[in-house]
Amino acid sequence: MEAFTKILTDMMGPMGPLIAVGGLGFLMIVGTLPFLMQKKEDPLEKLKQSGDRVSPAKGGKDRLRQKQRSNRLDRYSSFLEPQNEKEMSAMRIKMLQAGYRNKDAVRYFHFAQFALGIFGLLGGVIYYLAVVAHQEPTTQQTVMWILGPGGVGYMIPKYWINKRQAQRKEEITNGFPDALDMLLVCVEAGQSIDQAILRVAHELRISYASLADEFELVSHEIKAGKDKGAVLGDMAERCGVSDIASFVTVLVQSAQFGTSVADALRVYASEMRDKRVMRAEEKANKLPTKMTLATMMLTVPPLLIILIGPSILGITKMGDMTGTPMQESSE
């Protein structure tokens, strides 16, 4: 064992044994992953596939009604999806709020985390062996250079989804008052709420694409025969904005109690306009506080130089003038 350790030390430096152990562990993990990601085929799926083979005449029509899923990731679904139903539902809602409606969006997200983490770990190991290993780094530096890129790669998809979710919510919040005004105009012009939603979706496409997609999806689901209350509830869940949820409640209650939709939209649109003005005023009131530090850093040092600089220069010259006669008298 000592001879083997000496050989590794001579070949790769003082960190040779640690690198060898780390590489062995990485190879064991990579070798174990195929066994962990294997998924047993469901017997019901086998029966369904055999039934499709028996009736090829119906295969074309049935294939159009099948869910569009990525069969390449089905075998790894137990590894790429949360096994807890609550976590899976929360992750799916988060992906919808970020704008990803694909049925395999959760799988792609976890696959991206896994792949970027592995590539970051490999990149960190290669960089460490090529550059850092010759400089005799400490254990802390070794862990940072090897595991750091892997951790960054693992967190990049999560950061991207959170950023997309925040941007989409902000876009929907900013465009919703304008959408309500357009809905009110269309309803008062004699259109039904379904036709008004579709018209507003076309009009908002240029300015607020995310909100237009949601309205267009609502219109298509209503045309397909889905219950209007359920469709609007799904829209509120996909958007994740409190104003949309309140709007859905107003429409559902207006339909239940038989009140005028135009009156409800008029009152709610007025409230949304006031709320948008209040949000703008809130941002304006926060601006002086945010600018205080930058103002102090950019204005106080030049002001001190202008005010104190001449005095310091005068004191320096007076010191030089008083010091010269004293040196001559001493000589």
Side-chain angles (χ1 to χ4, degrees), residues 273-288:
R273 286 194 296 270
D274 295 340
K275 196 171 182 179
R276 181 167 58 181
V277 173
M278 292 174 62
R279 283 197 297 266
E281 291 178 350
E282 181 182 0
K283 291 182 179 180
N285 293 330
K286 289 181 180 179
L287 190 59

PDB file of all heavy atoms in Angstrom, residues 273-288:
ATOM      1  N   ARG A 273     -56.579  49.879 -12.458  1.00  0.00           N
ATOM      2  CA  ARG A 273     -55.868  51.100 -12.846  1.00  0.00           C
ATOM      3  C   ARG A 273     -55.340  51.836 -11.621  1.00  0.00           C
ATOM      4  O   ARG A 273     -54.203  52.322 -11.613  1.00  0.00           O
ATOM      5  CB  ARG A 273     -56.792  51.995 -13.669  1.00  0.00           C
ATOM      6  CG  ARG A 273     -57.033  51.497 -15.076  1.00  0.00           C
ATOM      7  CD  ARG A 273     -57.666  52.603 -15.925  1.00  0.00           C
ATOM      8  NE  ARG A 273     -58.983  52.972 -15.412  1.00  0.00           N
ATOM      9  CZ  ARG A 273     -60.120  52.418 -15.787  1.00  0.00           C
ATOM     10  NH1 ARG A 273     -60.098  51.442 -16.695  1.00  0.00           N
ATOM     11  NH2 ARG A 273     -61.267  52.820 -15.294  1.00  0.00           N
ATOM     12  N   ASP A 274     -56.184  51.933 -10.585  1.00  0.00           N
ATOM     13  CA  ASP A 274     -55.724  52.577  -9.346  1.00  0.00           C
ATOM     14  C   ASP A 274     -54.573  51.797  -8.720  1.00  0.00           C
ATOM     15  O   ASP A 274     -53.618  52.397  -8.199  1.00  0.00           O
ATOM     16  CB  ASP A 274     -56.889  52.684  -8.357  1.00  0.00           C
ATOM     17  CG  ASP A 274     -57.993  53.605  -8.861  1.00  0.00           C
ATOM     18  OD1 ASP A 274     -57.698  54.431  -9.743  1.00  0.00           O
ATOM     19  OD2 ASP A 274     -59.146  53.472  -8.388  1.00  0.00           O
ATOM     20  N   LYS A 275     -54.659  50.485  -8.780  1.00  0.00           N
ATOM     21  CA  LYS A 275     -53.597  49.667  -8.209  1.00  0.00           C
ATOM     22  C   LYS A 275     -52.295  49.837  -8.980  1.00  0.00           C
ATOM     23  O   LYS A 275     -51.208  49.852  -8.382  1.00  0.00           O
ATOM     24  CB  LYS A 275     -54.036  48.198  -8.213  1.00  0.00           C
ATOM     25  CG  LYS A 275     -53.199  47.300  -7.321  1.00  0.00           C
ATOM     26  CD  LYS A 275     -53.827  45.922  -7.223  1.00  0.00           C
ATOM     27  CE  LYS A 275     -53.012  45.029  -6.289  1.00  0.00           C
ATOM     28  NZ  LYS A 275     -53.619  43.678  -6.145  1.00  0.00           N
ATOM     29  N   ARG A 276     -52.373  49.979 -10.312  1.00  0.00           N
ATOM     30  CA  ARG A 276     -51.163  50.204 -11.094  1.00  0.00           C
ATOM     31  C   ARG A 276     -50.542  51.555 -10.751  1.00  0.00           C
ATOM     32  O   ARG A 276     -49.317  51.672 -10.655  1.00  0.00           O
ATOM     33  CB  ARG A 276     -51.488  50.136 -12.585  1.00  0.00           C
ATOM     34  CG  ARG A 276     -50.280  50.343 -13.468  1.00  0.00           C
ATOM     35  CD  ARG A 276     -50.556  49.962 -14.900  1.00  0.00           C
ATOM     36  NE  ARG A 276     -51.665  50.711 -15.483  1.00  0.00           N
ATOM     37  CZ  ARG A 276     -52.099  50.531 -16.720  1.00  0.00           C
ATOM     38  NH1 ARG A 276     -51.523  49.626 -17.503  1.00  0.00           N
ATOM     39  NH2 ARG A 276     -53.106  51.241 -17.195  1.00  0.00           N
ATOM     40  N   VAL A 277     -51.363  52.577 -10.557  1.00  0.00           N
ATOM     41  CA  VAL A 277     -50.834  53.885 -10.145  1.00  0.00           C
ATOM     42  C   VAL A 277     -50.173  53.794  -8.778  1.00  0.00           C
ATOM     43  O   VAL A 277     -49.111  54.387  -8.542  1.00  0.00           O
ATOM     44  CB  VAL A 277     -51.967  54.930 -10.152  1.00  0.00           C
ATOM     45  CG1 VAL A 277     -51.482  56.239  -9.557  1.00  0.00           C
ATOM     46  CG2 VAL A 277     -52.482  55.158 -11.571  1.00  0.00           C
ATOM     47  N   MET A 278     -50.783  53.029  -7.862  1.00  0.00           N
ATOM     48  CA  MET A 278     -50.190  52.874  -6.528  1.00  0.00           C
ATOM     49  C   MET A 278     -48.856  52.135  -6.603  1.00  0.00           C
ATOM     50  O   MET A 278     -47.907  52.471  -5.871  1.00  0.00           O
ATOM     51  CB  MET A 278     -51.164  52.121  -5.624  1.00  0.00           C
ATOM     52  CG  MET A 278     -52.421  52.895  -5.279  1.00  0.00           C
ATOM     53  SD  MET A 278     -53.637  51.916  -4.362  1.00  0.00           S
ATOM     54  CE  MET A 278     -52.698  51.547  -2.893  1.00  0.00           C
ATOM     55  N   ARG A 279     -48.738  51.151  -7.479  1.00  0.00           N
ATOM     56  CA  ARG A 279     -47.464  50.456  -7.636  1.00  0.00           C
ATOM     57  C   ARG A 279     -46.387  51.398  -8.186  1.00  0.00           C
ATOM     58  O   ARG A 279     -45.236  51.358  -7.744  1.00  0.00           O
ATOM     59  CB  ARG A 279     -47.625  49.244  -8.558  1.00  0.00           C
ATOM     60  CG  ARG A 279     -48.275  48.051  -7.907  1.00  0.00           C
ATOM     61  CD  ARG A 279     -48.022  46.780  -8.711  1.00  0.00           C
ATOM     62  NE  ARG A 279     -48.610  46.867 -10.048  1.00  0.00           N
ATOM     63  CZ  ARG A 279     -49.806  46.406 -10.354  1.00  0.00           C
ATOM     64  NH1 ARG A 279     -50.563  45.822  -9.441  1.00  0.00           N
ATOM     65  NH2 ARG A 279     -50.268  46.508 -11.595  1.00  0.00           N
ATOM     66  N   ALA A 280     -46.777  52.244  -9.140  1.00  0.00           N
ATOM     67  CA  ALA A 280     -45.818  53.213  -9.674  1.00  0.00           C
ATOM     68  C   ALA A 280     -45.386  54.212  -8.597  1.00  0.00           C
ATOM     69  O   ALA A 280     -44.199  54.555  -8.496  1.00  0.00           O
ATOM     70  CB  ALA A 280     -46.426  53.943 -10.867  1.00  0.00           C
ATOM     71  N   GLU A 281     -46.340  54.675  -7.787  1.00  0.00           N
ATOM     72  CA  GLU A 281     -45.989  55.594  -6.707  1.00  0.00           C
ATOM     73  C   GLU A 281     -45.103  54.920  -5.662  1.00  0.00           C
ATOM     74  O   GLU A 281     -44.182  55.548  -5.107  1.00  0.00           O
ATOM     75  CB  GLU A 281     -47.263  56.116  -6.046  1.00  0.00           C
ATOM     76  CG  GLU A 281     -48.080  57.041  -6.939  1.00  0.00           C
ATOM     77  CD  GLU A 281     -49.357  57.499  -6.259  1.00  0.00           C
ATOM     78  OE1 GLU A 281     -49.673  56.938  -5.175  1.00  0.00           O
ATOM     79  OE2 GLU A 281     -50.042  58.382  -6.819  1.00  0.00           O
ATOM     80  N   GLU A 282     -45.350  53.645  -5.398  1.00  0.00           N
ATOM     81  CA  GLU A 282     -44.511  52.920  -4.445  1.00  0.00           C
ATOM     82  C   GLU A 282     -43.075  52.823  -4.946  1.00  0.00           C
ATOM     83  O   GLU A 282     -42.120  53.044  -4.183  1.00  0.00           O
ATOM     84  CB  GLU A 282     -45.090  51.525  -4.223  1.00  0.00           C
ATOM     85  CG  GLU A 282     -44.318  50.679  -3.221  1.00  0.00           C
ATOM     86  CD  GLU A 282     -44.895  49.294  -3.068  1.00  0.00           C
ATOM     87  OE1 GLU A 282     -45.890  48.996  -3.750  1.00  0.00           O
ATOM     88  OE2 GLU A 282     -44.346  48.512  -2.281  1.00  0.00           O
ATOM     89  N   LYS A 283     -42.895  52.512  -6.238  1.00  0.00           N
ATOM     90  CA  LYS A 283     -41.542  52.457  -6.788  1.00  0.00           C
ATOM     91  C   LYS A 283     -40.884  53.827  -6.763  1.00  0.00           C
ATOM     92  O   LYS A 283     -39.674  53.946  -6.500  1.00  0.00           O
ATOM     93  CB  LYS A 283     -41.585  51.918  -8.220  1.00  0.00           C
ATOM     94  CG  LYS A 283     -41.967  50.453  -8.313  1.00  0.00           C
ATOM     95  CD  LYS A 283     -41.944  49.977  -9.753  1.00  0.00           C
ATOM     96  CE  LYS A 283     -42.300  48.501  -9.842  1.00  0.00           C
ATOM     97  NZ  LYS A 283     -42.292  48.005 -11.256  1.00  0.00           N
ATOM     98  N   ALA A 284     -41.663  54.890  -7.031  1.00  0.00           N
ATOM     99  CA  ALA A 284     -41.098  56.238  -6.995  1.00  0.00           C
ATOM    100  C   ALA A 284     -40.677  56.634  -5.587  1.00  0.00           C
ATOM    101  O   ALA A 284     -39.650  57.311  -5.394  1.00  0.00           O
ATOM    102  CB  ALA A 284     -42.108  57.234  -7.550  1.00  0.00           C
ATOM    103  N   ASN A 285     -41.438  56.217  -4.573  1.00  0.00           N
ATOM    104  CA  ASN A 285     -41.076  56.542  -3.192  1.00  0.00           C
ATOM    105  C   ASN A 285     -39.860  55.752  -2.712  1.00  0.00           C
ATOM    106  O   ASN A 285     -39.134  56.206  -1.829  1.00  0.00           O
ATOM    107  CB  ASN A 285     -42.267  56.267  -2.266  1.00  0.00           C
ATOM    108  CG  ASN A 285     -43.425  57.215  -2.516  1.00  0.00           C
ATOM    109  OD1 ASN A 285     -43.227  58.357  -2.928  1.00  0.00           O
ATOM    110  ND2 ASN A 285     -44.649  56.745  -2.289  1.00  0.00           N
ATOM    111  N   LYS A 286     -39.651  54.563  -3.274  1.00  0.00           N
ATOM    112  CA  LYS A 286     -38.468  53.785  -2.904  1.00  0.00           C
ATOM    113  C   LYS A 286     -37.193  54.290  -3.564  1.00  0.00           C
ATOM    114  O   LYS A 286     -36.096  54.000  -3.091  1.00  0.00           O
ATOM    115  CB  LYS A 286     -38.676  52.313  -3.305  1.00  0.00           C
ATOM    116  CG  LYS A 286     -39.684  51.562  -2.460  1.00  0.00           C
ATOM    117  CD  LYS A 286     -39.794  50.126  -2.929  1.00  0.00           C
ATOM    118  CE  LYS A 286     -40.798  49.342  -2.094  1.00  0.00           C
ATOM    119  NZ  LYS A 286     -40.917  47.928  -2.574  1.00  0.00           N
ATOM    120  N   LEU A 287     -37.349  55.041  -4.652  1.00  0.00           N
ATOM    121  CA  LEU A 287     -36.179  55.466  -5.419  1.00  0.00           C
ATOM    122  C   LEU A 287     -35.211  56.341  -4.622  1.00  0.00           C
ATOM    123  O   LEU A 287     -33.986  56.123  -4.691  1.00  0.00           O
ATOM    124  CB  LEU A 287     -36.649  56.190  -6.682  1.00  0.00           C
ATOM    125  CG  LEU A 287     -35.576  56.498  -7.724  1.00  0.00           C
ATOM    126  CD1 LEU A 287     -34.920  55.202  -8.196  1.00  0.00           C
ATOM    127  CD2 LEU A 287     -36.180  57.251  -8.898  1.00  0.00           C
ATOM    128  N   PRO A 288     -35.661  57.363  -3.849  1.00  0.00           N
ATOM    129  CA  PRO A 288     -34.695  58.161  -3.084  1.00  0.00           C
ATOM    130  C   PRO A 288     -33.882  57.331  -2.091  1.00  0.00           C
ATOM    131  O   PRO A 288     -32.678  57.580  -1.904  1.00  0.00           O
ATOM    132  CB  PRO A 288     -35.575  59.187  -2.357  1.00  0.00           C
ATOM    133  CG  PRO A 288     -36.804  59.284  -3.193  1.00  0.00           C
ATOM    134  CD  PRO A 288     -37.031  57.919  -3.736  1.00  0.00           C
TER     135      PRO A 288
END
